[in-house]
Amino acid sequence: MEGKGLLKELVRLPGGREILKCIQCGTCSGSCPMVEVMDYSPRAFFALIKSGQIKEAVRANTYWVCASCYFCSVRCPRGIKITDIMYAFKELSVKKGFYPKKEPTTKLYESFKEVIEKYGRLSEAKLMQRFAFKKPLLVLSKARLGLKLLLKKRIKFRVKPIKNIEAFRRVIQRTKELESVP
Amino acid sequence: MGQEPRIGVYICHCGINIAYKVDVEAVRDYASTLPYVVVARDYKFMCSNVGQEMIINDIRNYQLNRVVVASCSPRMHEKTFRKACEKGGLNPYFFQMASIREQVSWVHEDEVVATEKAKELIRAAVFRVIHHEPLEKRYVDINPNVLVIGGGIAGMQAALEIADAGKLVYLVEREPSIGGHMAKFDKTFPTLDCAACIMTPKMVSVGQHENIKLLTYAEVESVEGFIGNFKVRVRKKARFVDENKCTGCGECAKVCPVSLPNEFEYGMTNRKAIYRPFPQAVPNVFTITKEGWSPCRSACPANLNAHGYVKLAHEGKFEDAFALIMESVVLPATLGRACPAFCERECTRGEVGGSIHIRLIKRFIADWYYENVGTKPPFRVDELKNEKVAVVGAGPAGLSCAFYLAKEGYKVVIFEKEAEPGGMVRYAIPEYRVPKDVLAKDIEVIRNMGVEIKTNTPIGPDGLTIDELFAQGYKAIFLAIGAWKDRRLNVPGEDLDGIYTAIDFLRRVNSGERVKVGNKVAVIGGGNSAIDAARVAKRLGADVTVYYRRTRHEMPAFPEEVEAAIKEGIKFEFLTTPIGFEGNGKVEKMELIRMQLGEPDSSGRRRPVPIEGSNFKVDVDSVILAIGQVPDSEVFGKFGIKLNRDGTVYVNPRTLETSRKGVFAGGDAVTGPSTIVEAIALGRKAAYYISEYLKKGSLDDVNFPSSLPTVDKRRVLERRKVEVIPRVKIKELPVEERISNFEEVELLLTEEEVKKDSGRCLDCAICCECKQCVKACEAKAIDHQQKDEIIEIEVGSIIVATGFKTFDPTPLRRYGYKKYPEVYTSIEFERLNNASGPTEGKIVMKNGKVPESVAIIHCVGSRDEKYHPYCSRVCCMYSMKYAHLIKEKTGAEVYEFYIDIRSPGKMYEEFYNRVQEEGVHFIRGKVAEVTDVAERPEEEGKLIVVAEDTLTGRILRVPVDMVILSVALEPADGAEELARILGIAQDKDGWFIELHPKLAPVSTASDGIFLAGCCQGPKDIPDTVAQASAAAAEALSLIMRGKVEIESATSYIDPEICVGCMQCKSVCPYSAIDYDPSLGVCVVNEVLCKGCGLCAATCPNKAITLRHFKNEQIFSELEGILL
Amino acid sequence: MKAVFYPGCTLETAAGYEESIKAVNKVLGIDLPELDDWNCCGATALFSVDKLLSLVFPARNLAKAEKEEAKWIVTPCNACYATLRKVKAILRENEALREKVNKALSAEGLFYRGSISIKHLLDFYLQSELFEGIKERIKKPLNGLRVATYYGCQYTRPITGEETDDPEVPNNLDRLLVALGAEVVDYSMKTYCCGAAQMVSHEKGCLKLINRIVRGAIKEGADVIVAICPMCQFNVELGESKLGYRVPVLYFTQLIGLSLGIPKKMLGLEKLMISSNPLLSKI
């Protein structure tokens, strides 16, 4: 029955109720740049939810590989804000801790988070270093590219954190506290 | 209140509609506690027979004298329950209804709240009904005539049904022909019988039926009155063709020079300005699209129809072109050379490649005519008249006036003081601009019209007087003496030899005198005569400088003339003016002073003021003063003709009459120095008024034929994509050649160039009034003066059948409509596939090839919240019809991209199966986009349709040759306006709302107005026709009843209180209120009153009460609510 | 009215974007100060993994900009542009979240009012007075240069209603380049996604996207693809080199620079992977 509970929860997500309006026309899938690497196309993903196969849906990588280009949202004939719903799903799955283990994007995003929490800003170099711990092979495959970029002075290894990094960390701290309280 | 009220309250469960939210038992019990309530009951269906019986019996058994029913809405069942009361022997107005379904159970989630609200509404109803009073029933007669709006299949069907029943029908259609959309179809689903075969016969019988008055190209403007008695105003748009005379032979269209995109074919072909939408049109008559006057024509002081003769020139019809020109102006060859061409300044082409060479085209036409036809006038004298008219002065104005009077048949004599006719054109305009032989030919035409020109015959001191002219039997006189007297500077030395005035100088040269100007010539002034004089002096071999007191920007001379002068090496000194001349006997030196521009003067130009001490001198051999001219008119003052201070002749600006009866004036004599074409314009205007004066003796209610509004250039450029085409280059005589002689500077356009340049015309007004159609029409059916006419008709009922329009998919950019030529809308494809369409029914691409694969995209604009949320109902079926026809005709692969196939109709599903079996590919998935960017070799050069096959979950890229967009149906243009006129409602999508979706599907909330076809919502032909017959039946049953009961709740004016201010009269929409002067009060005509209550609300003295809506009734109801 | 510049993290490693912006602003005499002590907006990534933080990060920048009394915060990056707008929209609609966010920001003494409006650098340059200024100063019009205008996805998509262009067939960049004298080709891939961050984890899929983006330009005979976002430029340029295409991908500011006659070294053109020389010779 977890599924049913989840569906209720999904429907309560911002724009979640809209999922129920879907007529399965497939405009979203046809417009989706990432559809080829998705376990289920956006449309099929919605079909799973509407038919109550919530567990299968949240296990899918669909919402993780969404590049958030908003093409589906622009074109959906039912006016469903699909991209926002994908975000809601990521959030939900993080909260519930059941996201597709094999999906590299999740790792990448975590590394991303770690970097900016540390420096306040992103550095591709630092990002890749951290990502390397999690997905060594994937990163290795990009080494040659990194070299090229280096030659073109398009990589900086040294990152200067933002001036007011302490205050910034305080903000993060406060945020975390606020998050823990519902 | 009369006797003690005894009220029965009845609460309806409406099945469970009410009962599932409202605790009906509780409500019933509550109701029984209310004042005067004798009995309260609840029942499953109060509207049912049993329910009504219940009321009837209670009335008898409990002696009820008031009844309240709490159920659905009054719109639904008020009539039902009023009848029940009546059956029970109660006046139906002792009844009140409380809506606890629409107002309560359907709109409340919480049962408790709902139940409470139900109680309150019932309480209010009870409180109200206590104060009800009996009203007697009222009837009105039904006018048996019916109005049907819209001539599509629905309108035609309804009209025929009613007409066959022997009743009179007015069928109003705004297009030139009836037939609507169905006339555009080739085959119809699911039977695939040909639309024309079932349509055309109907159209014909509508056209011929004695009981159908067909008003095509007409629109309903206003509707007044009410059921049984509607007064309707219909605007019949000017067709410019007499429907009764036109035989539909089509000769006119053959000769019409104007073509434009054909709306009926959605721009896939062109049509002429005079056209018939399609060959089977009913009525089978032609229509002219005329949007007003083209800017060129409006810009011309003489309103010369440039658009017309440019088109004729393009067709090579130079003789007709010449005639068209002469209808508005004389001296065409002269104007073709020396006209400032105001027309070209306004030409819409000016913004996209440079204006048409209108003037040079006119010049070519005139020269061509004189060379190939001669100088015979292009038209005959209307009919000879006895009156003689004298014209004084043979300049452009005089010649023009004389010519048009002669054309009217008057005997005209021109008195000219000079040796040659032509006025300024002959004597002031230099040879190199208008050669004398050209002018001579222009004048020859006028002579050949029967005008007599007496030269060397001045009027005035040394000649005849005005009185003598009248004495000689001239019935009217036109003064066109021009403006020949040069202004003078009034500075020392102005009388020295070698100082000429411009006109005098030019006149001498033009009379053949060899004027000796010497070496250094100074020309003073900035007008056209200054430039003429300068260029002439140049040709006499002098070194010429023009001195002008303002800057080039303020020069009145035509820019192109100044340009030419500069080219020819004439120098200009601006902001200088002479203050004196020196020399003994003959001028040698000229003293000038520099000027600067000060405040603007009366002419709006900045006034030049001298700069102290900036004087300087120059050597001159001669000076030409060209600082303007005035009419030489004193003498006429002596003849008792009023003059203005500047010496111009005073005239009535409208009629050109002078202060002396029978004497008219025009040209420079009236306007001061002006252009040839303006003089000619006034000449023609004078001719018109003189002729009217001679016919009627007075000009009080005579007016010169009015002009049409000018077409807006913006609209012209928006009509269709206009590509930039540069104007033809004009050849000119090389400078070194020109300045040595008086040869014409501007060289003629060749015939080819004329045709090429005239081909750039954008047909601003669409119809160019070239009158070719008039010539071609043997039936004499064409009338370019036709005006819209207003027709008033009276009918008893109205059937609205205004249909739909198809959705324009351009905003859905992803489907590439208008970007890729092979993307069509469904309705365009109907034409493409139609035997009488642009390709005679061959399904081919724009390149003429047969498509090998076609994709049909469903739900374009339908089931889409950004456009239309509803399903358009017919698209699935017609899409499958296309699939079948495409397969049949081309054998191409057809792909149907659908979301859900909807085939709910007799034999529809079977048709679906049939098409499936024919091997059409059905892909369940809405197309995401159509692109021409190939990713695989087989996609090169194709349109790629991208969609998810939702049944397999695979993303498909299907390369095709042709794409058809099955576009939505939406309400027709003007539906909103019509709804307002008829007082009927539209739903959120704009469709007209029926009274009840099931029980009254073709009625509207306005009694006597019915709906048929797609104006009520998308539907297919079978449903449309069925609905049309239903609407006809409704109208007929109304007629058969002969009488109809109408609202008894009318308003009543208390004469004791009324002060007769008549405000009520002014607001009453049914003109049901009259003022009785004898009593000084207003009175309501109860037959006309509809009980709308406007008057009651308006009356400042509260003298008006609306029965059944009296204050006590309403207040008591409110009390019931608020208690 | 005051505008502050929000560069975003990727600007300094972008191939000459920053250089060209600075150079162009100098020539046009535009004063566009950098937002003091700005932080990463969090982009798609953070939004995916930590909702509240993903609101707080952008809000911090917006709040700082408001504190500097700026009317506009101007960003050269589509992702930042989208993120900032998204946060603005969410906080506009959800009061509870706005309170939470402001609680967090108060840790640094900041407060987000929601008064700031968000502008993409492209729209900044298209403001009438600036646009006129550019037109007036054109030294080397880009006549004869055929350009494909690549907007990327996140620039046009409607989020707050501040968007200035059609979500599928935008025209702003076209207008600008036409004014510079370039010939804008009828390019159908204007707003197609480049794969963004997914290029890291799903390269194969993303290269397909790059392929059609580049083919679309080649099909119309474009000499150059013009980008308005570091991520787009990076993905397209590197992607197409992998696929073996050689269509230069320049930032619109680099083309403005060229038309203003700014020397190429000041526009960082040498940082491009695919040389811009062929098209320089064309102008």
Side-chain angles (χ1 to χ4, degrees), chain A residues 33 67-71 74, chain C residues 76-79 81-82 85 120 122 148-158 165-171 173-174 187-196 210 213 225-233 235-236 249:
Chain A
S68 78
C69 75
Y70 292 87
F71 227 170
V74 167
Chain C
C77 164
N78 286 359
Y81 183 50
R85 276 180 299 153
H120 189 286
L122 173 60
T149 50
Y150 180 59
Y151 293 76
C153 54
Q154 293 189 325
Y155 167 69
T156 58
R157 309 302 195 220
D165 218 335
D166 181 282
E168 285 197 62
V169 191
N171 189 42
L173 183 54
D174 299 40
Y187 181 44
S188 12
M189 294 295 145
K190 282 179 174 183
T191 67
Y192 282 64
C193 178
C194 67
I210 305 300
I213 288 166
I225 297 172
V226 185
I228 64 172
C229 164
M231 178 66 90
C232 300
Q233 196 278 346
N235 276 0
V236 176
V249 188

Side-chain angles (χ1 to χ4, degrees), chain B residues 786-940:
Chain B
Q786 203 178 72
K787 301 252 175 299
D788 290 6
E789 89 185 271
I790 299 294
I791 301 169
E792 301 241 353
I793 56 181
E794 299 197 349
V795 298
S797 50
I798 300 175
I799 294 174
V800 186
T802 48
F804 66 96
K805 78 168 190 293
T806 51
F807 169 74
D808 171 7
T810 323
L812 280 153
R813 307 291 281 270
R814 51 182 174 274
Y815 292 148
Y817 180 66
K818 293 222 170 108
K819 179 178 181 186
Y820 306 126
E822 289 311 317
V823 178
Y824 299 83
T825 65
S826 39
I827 192 76
E828 285 167 0
F829 181 80
E830 288 285 357
R831 293 312 298 160
L832 198 63
N833 174 58
N834 192 300
S836 64
T839 59
E840 281 98 23
K842 288 187 213 63
I843 299 176
V844 290
M845 301 186 277
K846 300 240 161 52
N847 63 15
K849 291 212 189 72
V850 175
E852 292 169 1
S853 50
V854 181
I856 303 173
I857 303 179
H858 292 221
C859 301
V860 176
S862 305
R863 305 184 67 189
D864 185 333
E865 306 210 330
K866 294 191 185 65
Y867 303 98
H868 301 303
Y870 54 81
C871 164
S872 293
R873 271 191 71 190
V874 291
C875 322
C876 283
M877 292 309 295
Y878 72 59
S879 299
M880 292 193 283
K881 176 186 79 182
Y882 297 166
H884 167 82
L885 294 167
I886 294 166
K887 275 231 161 277
E888 187 178 65
K889 289 189 177 182
T890 69
E893 289 301 314
V894 184
Y895 301 85
E896 296 268 6
F897 290 89
Y898 68 99
I899 305 176
D900 304 294
I901 291 291
R902 300 190 168 170
S903 52
K906 199 168 179 182
M907 298 306 289
Y908 286 15
E909 188 65 12
E910 292 82 342
F911 185 74
Y912 175 18
N913 299 344
R914 170 180 174 183
V915 176
Q916 283 177 306
E917 283 160 17
E918 288 171 351
V920 172
H921 309 282
F922 282 83
I923 299 170
R924 192 197 175 283
K926 180 159 185 177
V927 171
E929 65 195 52
V930 176
T931 174
D932 61 350
V933 179
E935 287 179 11
R936 290 186 250 105
E938 65 270 29
E939 294 176 353
E940 294 295 345

Side-chain angles (χ1 to χ4, degrees), chain B residues 182-200:
Chain B
M182 188 172 169
K184 295 179 173 156
F185 303 163
D186 185 58
K187 298 260 189 292
T188 58
F189 64 78
T191 47
L192 293 177
D193 43 4
C194 111
C197 313
I198 51 180
M199 184 80 174
T200 342

Side-chain angles (χ1 to χ4, degrees), chain B residues 136-142 225-229 1043-1051 1068 1070-1074 1083-1091 1107:
Chain B
E136 90 281 6
K137 288 197 176 170
R138 302 167 51 236
Y139 297 90
V140 290
D141 296 340
I142 300 290
F226 53 92
I227 181 168
N229 307 269
K1043 282 185 177 324
V1044 61
E1045 183 183 351
I1046 56 162
E1047 187 52 57
S1048 301
T1050 54
S1051 59
C1068 178
Y1070 307 98
S1071 21
I1073 297 179
D1074 303 313
V1083 187
V1084 177
N1085 174 342
E1086 302 232 332
V1087 184
L1088 296 181
C1089 176
K1090 289 270 285 172
R1107 297 191 179 89

Side-chain angles (χ1 to χ4, degrees), chain A residues 15-152:
Chain A
R17 180 160 280 289
E18 293 179 337
I19 299 174
L20 308 178
K21 299 197 311 188
C22 174
I23 51 172
Q24 290 289 302
C25 71
T27 306
C28 46
S29 312
S31 310
C32 180
M34 303 310 297
V35 68
E36 299 204 0
V37 295
M38 289 175 174
D39 308 338
Y40 291 96
S41 74
R43 186 211 100 258
F45 181 73
F46 277 29
L48 286 174
I49 297 164
K50 282 161 68 82
S51 64
Q53 307 171 62
I54 311 295
K55 276 196 187 143
E56 181 63 10
V58 288
R59 274 198 219 97
N61 73 345
T62 303
Y63 53 99
W64 277 110
V65 297
C66 166
S68 78
C69 75
Y70 292 87
F71 227 170
C72 48
S73 308
V74 167
R75 288 177 170 177
C76 175
R78 302 290 281 166
I80 303 174
K81 297 199 177 56
I82 300 171
T83 314
D84 296 350
I85 291 172
M86 293 299 176
Y87 274 118
F89 260 92
K90 292 175 211 169
E91 192 195 346
L92 188 73
S93 69
V94 173
K95 221 191 283 165
K96 297 247 184 266
F98 51 50
Y99 48 74
K101 298 286 166 288
K102 62 182 195 321
E103 175 49 48
T105 313
T106 61
K107 299 273 173 296
L108 179 70
Y109 286 176
E110 281 169 349
S111 323
F112 186 101
K113 184 181 172 193
E114 291 160 19
V115 174
I116 53 179
E117 284 190 4
K118 184 145 189 284
Y119 302 99
R121 291 184 192 171
L122 176 71
S123 132
E124 291 89 350
K126 287 275 181 284
L127 175 58
M128 284 306 152
Q129 286 168 10
R130 287 176 176 273
F131 192 40
F133 296 121
K134 302 181 168 117
K135 289 264 169 205
L137 295 169
L138 196 57
V139 175
L140 214 57
S141 70
K142 311 212 180 305
R144 287 185 62 257
L145 167 61
L147 207 61
K148 279 217 213 105
L149 290 167
L150 195 56
L151 296 172
K152 289 279 182 185

